[in-house]
Amino acid sequence: KEQFSGARNDGVATLTSDQHQISIQGSQAIVRNPAGATVGRLSKIHRVSPTLGLPAPAGATVLFANGHASELEGATVSPEGLLQVGATTKMPVEDFRLHVEFKTPYQPDQRGQGRGNSGVYIQRRYEVQILDSFGLDGVFNECGALYRQTPPDVNMALPPLTWQTYDIWFTAARFNEAGEKTSNARITVWHNGVPVHNNREIP
C-alpha cells in the first residue's frame, strides 16, 4: 500500500506520495514518478455485482420489491421507492436463503462507523454488517463482517452510491427439548458474488 495526500483544483484531483503523483480528471488517472515522467494511466472501472437483480425463485417469500413491503413491519419507503433502514420481517426465521440489494451514501466528511452504516440482523442475534468500507482493510466491524466477531475473508465492498448485494445462507442454532443448545448457527455470505464467509460457525 502507498499512502497519498491530495487536493483538488479546477476539476483535477492531485494525489502525492514519496514515490508517485497521480492526477485524476474525469474517468482517467495519470501516474507520474518524482521526475514527472508518466509511468502509467488508469481508467475508472465500474464494477457490478453478478447477483444484482437476481429474480426470486419459485416459492420464495418476497420481502420487498417495487415499493411493496407487505411482509415487513416498520417499513418506510422513500419517495423514490427504496426501502429505508429499520424494517423487520413479520415472520420469524429459522433456516433460510436471503438475497439483499443495498447501497451506502457518499459521506466523505465522515470516518469509520460514521459513514453509511446499517446491517442485516438475523434473529436479533447476529449481524452481517453494512458499511461504506470501500478501499479499507475489511476488519471485524466493516462491510461483510459478522459484526464484532469475524472479518470477511476478503473486502468486496464497492464504492458508495453503487448497488451491492448480499446472498446469505443461514442455518439456525439447534436446541434439545430441555432448551440446551446442541449446535451453533452457521452462515455463508456472498458479497457482490464472492464468498466472504463459507459455512462459518457463529458462536
Side-chain angles (χ1 to χ4, degrees):
K1 289 187 176 180
E2 196 172 330
Q3 284 198 326
F4 290 80
S5 60
R8 190 156 104 177
N9 188 22
D10 292 331
V12 178
T14 303
L15 307 175
T16 306
S17 75
D18 293 337
Q19 303 170 45
H20 295 99
Q21 183 183 75
I22 302 175
S23 299
I24 305 169
Q25 186 169 20
S27 61
Q28 283 283 320
I30 300 173
V31 184
R32 295 181 175 88
N33 64 21
T38 299
V39 296
R41 295 176 184 271
L42 303 170
S43 297
K44 185 173 183 178
I45 296 173
H46 294 278
R47 291 186 288 169
V48 177
S49 169
T51 67
L52 189 66
L54 189 72
T61 300
V62 178
L63 299 175
F64 178 78
N66 303 317
H68 300 289
S70 60
E71 296 293 332
L72 298 174
E73 289 182 353
T76 302
V77 180
S78 74
E80 298 82 23
L82 303 177
L83 181 66
Q84 305 295 289
V85 298
T88 305
T89 60
K90 289 182 178 178
M91 61 181 179
V93 296
E94 292 294 329
D95 301 351
F96 64 83
R97 176 185 175 186
L98 177 68
H99 175 75
V100 179
E101 301 185 356
F102 65 94
K103 67 177 173 177
T104 58
Y106 180 52
Q107 297 174 294
D109 56 331
Q110 299 295 316
R111 294 291 181 267
Q113 301 293 302
R115 289 193 172 181
N117 184 344
S118 189
V120 177
Y121 298 88
I122 301 170
Q123 296 184 329
R124 296 183 173 145
R125 293 184 175 101
Y126 320 107
E127 178 186 359
V128 180
Q129 172 76 320
I130 291 176
L131 185 75
D132 173 11
S133 302
F134 179 65
L136 300 182
D137 292 331
V139 296
F140 71 111
N141 62 352
E142 293 178 357
C143 205
L146 303 179
Y147 186 62
R148 301 194 71 81
Q149 289 192 49
T150 310
D153 289 340
V154 61
N155 179 5
M156 285 304 302
L158 298 180
L161 302 179
T162 304
W163 282 104
Q164 305 188 57
T165 62
Y166 279 154
D167 293 281
I168 300 171
W169 291 261
F170 177 77
T171 302
R174 299 298 196 250
F175 299 85
N176 62 21
E177 292 182 359
E180 300 164 329
K181 186 193 282 188
T182 57
S183 62
N184 286 326
R186 289 190 169 272
I187 193 167
T188 293
V189 180
W190 286 20
H191 186 187
N192 295 321
V194 174
V196 296
H197 299 284
N198 186 17
N199 194 29
R200 195 178 303 277
E201 186 176 20
I202 311 176

